[in-house]
Amino acid sequence: DQDQSALFNAEIRAAIDALIAKYPPEWKQSAVMPALTLLQDSNGGWLTTELMDALAVYLDMPEVAVYEVATFYGMYDLTPQGRHKVCVCNSISCLLNGSEELIEHIEHKYGVKPGETTADGRFTFKEVECLGACRHAPAVLLDKTYHEKLSPESLDRLIDGLE
Ligand code: FES
């Protein structure tokens, strides 16, 4: 339905079209993950049902299939987010190397539990699965940048630098 994909402005449409063009026409659904990332980035870091529905129409796929992707992968958020995302890995290598200490530190110092946003809206705190940086544990993904071998102090310095 044309009305729903009218949610996308010309710039977004062009960007999604460019993603779709990377695949053969019968495989255009393959663009779903990068398209969700693009929509999330353009919407303050989270996906609304309307955006997911519009993408389903645009990619000719069932809405539920888009929701499944968006809920399965930890990088998508379906609720409003802070201006930044601080994602602390809580998988085994990081746990063994101090991520628990980072998590407790954030909870105490900034007053947020995993999934919550600081009162000033500065960041949303997330616990995430292995970030693929296990050799340099504990790892944190701050927005789109990986940081490794963090201590509570070095994590604080990163957070202090956020607007
Ligand atoms: Fe943390 Fe792999 S276990 S990055």
Side-chain angles (χ1 to χ4, degrees):
D1 133 23
Q2 288 303 314
D3 289 335
Q4 264 190 321
S5 50
L7 258 181
F8 302 156
N9 63 29
E11 197 184 334
I12 299 267
R13 272 166 192 271
I16 296 178
D17 288 346
L19 295 171
I20 292 173
K22 293 184 180 171
Y23 304 96
E26 66 275 26
W27 287 95
K28 71 175 181 177
Q29 286 89 356
S30 305
V32 65
M33 289 186 64
L36 283 172
T37 301
L38 189 143
L39 290 174
Q40 174 163 286
D41 290 346
S42 71
N43 187 54
W46 69 292
L47 291 162
T48 62
T49 308
E50 290 73 22
L51 285 171
M52 291 188 283
D53 289 350
L55 183 62
V57 171
Y58 210 73
L59 295 180
D60 288 328
M61 59 195 287
E63 290 169 356
V64 66
V66 175
Y67 304 159
E68 274 170 11
V69 173
T71 51
F72 183 79
Y73 294 97
M75 70 263 210
Y76 302 117
D77 289 296
L78 308 186
T79 53
Q81 301 289 298
R83 291 191 294 284
H84 301 277
K85 291 181 193 177
V86 175
C87 305
V88 180
C89 171
N90 67 359
S91 291
I92 189 71
S93 299
C94 287
L95 276 181
L96 293 174
N97 285 284
S99 70
E100 218 157 358
E101 203 188 339
L102 297 180
I103 289 165
E104 281 169 16
H105 178 73
I106 293 183
E107 290 182 345
H108 290 133
K109 176 155 184 186
Y110 300 95
V112 277
K113 298 261 179 233
E116 292 180 352
T117 300
T118 54
D120 59 4
R122 188 147 64 127
F123 70 89
T124 300
F125 168 40
K126 296 174 71 178
E127 275 186 51
V128 295
E129 303 279 309
C130 182
L131 292 166
C134 323
R135 283 178 352 125
H136 305 285
V140 168
L141 178 64
L142 171 58
D143 295 326
K144 305 235 169 192
T145 311
Y146 292 91
H147 298 275
E148 299 165 340
K149 291 194 173 163
L150 286 172
S151 63
E153 295 71 31
S154 54
L155 178 58
D156 270 347
R157 283 196 292 277
L158 288 177
I159 292 176
D160 284 345
L162 301 177
E163 13 159 306

